[in-house]
Amino acid sequence: DGGITQSPKYLFRKEGQNVTLSCEQNLNHDAMYWYRQDPGQGLRLIYYSQIVNDFQKGDIAEGYSVSREKKESFPLTVTSAQKNPTAFYLCACTAAGPYNEQFFGPGTRLTVL
Amino acid sequence: GESVGLHLPTLSVQEGDNSIINCAYSNSASDYFIWYKQESGKGPQFIIDIRSNMDKRQGQRVTVLLNKTVKHLSLQIAATQPGDSAVYFCADRFSGSARQLTFGSGTQLTVLP
């Protein structure tokens, strides 16, 4: 089955720790995205990557970092510099071309203890 | 920056009735629009999309209407079913945005028995 996966589904972190969220896709899509969703709110773009070894900051990149070493993988690290990291994190990917929807993973819920 | 917003945060409809969810966008350069459905604790699922050169597009039980004059988008769901209960997001992309989408805050649709 083709799709996009995220792991883990739930993640707990102590203050001051860095954590990495996994996002993998086998759709052969070139662009990948990370969003943050807070309760009752829409999606806010953290980082995106159009091609391997290249990525751009979104609207709320502070306290986050990413890498794109492989086409199918786009991990997100939530660093200790992120002051309010508790949220639902969503990864998405999209095929080449201007009129293609983004496919979303199931999400990772991060809670800071 | 642009904003994509929804007129109503919640909508309750009787099972079997039609639902209409509205969305306003601000960027007249937006050329592609998508509706997503998000169930609790899950990633958004694509419902239907429309390009700016169209006014209407129909899918299975869903219709999207686009009014570029007033920058308004709506999603109509026919014969609403309990499984339609979810949060619905509109998103838009403006030309030259490297395939980024801007999401509204969402409307919670509740289907009453």
Side-chain angles (χ1 to χ4, degrees), chain A residues 20-93:
Chain A
T20 297
L21 283 58
S22 170
C23 178
E24 303 280 333
Q25 55 101 358
N26 61 5
L27 299 167
N28 200 34
H29 287 176
D30 50 358
M32 297 187 74
Y33 307 81
W34 274 106
Y35 294 92
R36 170 182 172 137
Q37 186 176 33
D38 293 287
Q41 297 188 28
L43 282 62
R44 292 185 289 169
L45 183 65
I46 304 173
Y47 268 98
Y48 65 99
S49 169
Q50 300 278 55
I51 57 173
V52 174
N53 293 323
D54 184 62
F55 49 83
Q56 305 295 328
K57 293 182 179 180
D59 299 324
I60 56 166
E62 185 175 352
Y64 300 97
S65 66
V66 294
S67 63
R68 187 84 187 277
E69 298 177 0
K70 298 185 295 183
K71 186 175 185 178
E72 60 269 24
S73 179
F74 191 39
L76 173 74
T77 297
V78 184
T79 75
S80 57
Q82 170 51 236
K83 298 305 180 187
N84 185 22
T86 295
F88 190 49
Y89 290 88
L90 287 158
C91 181
C93 63

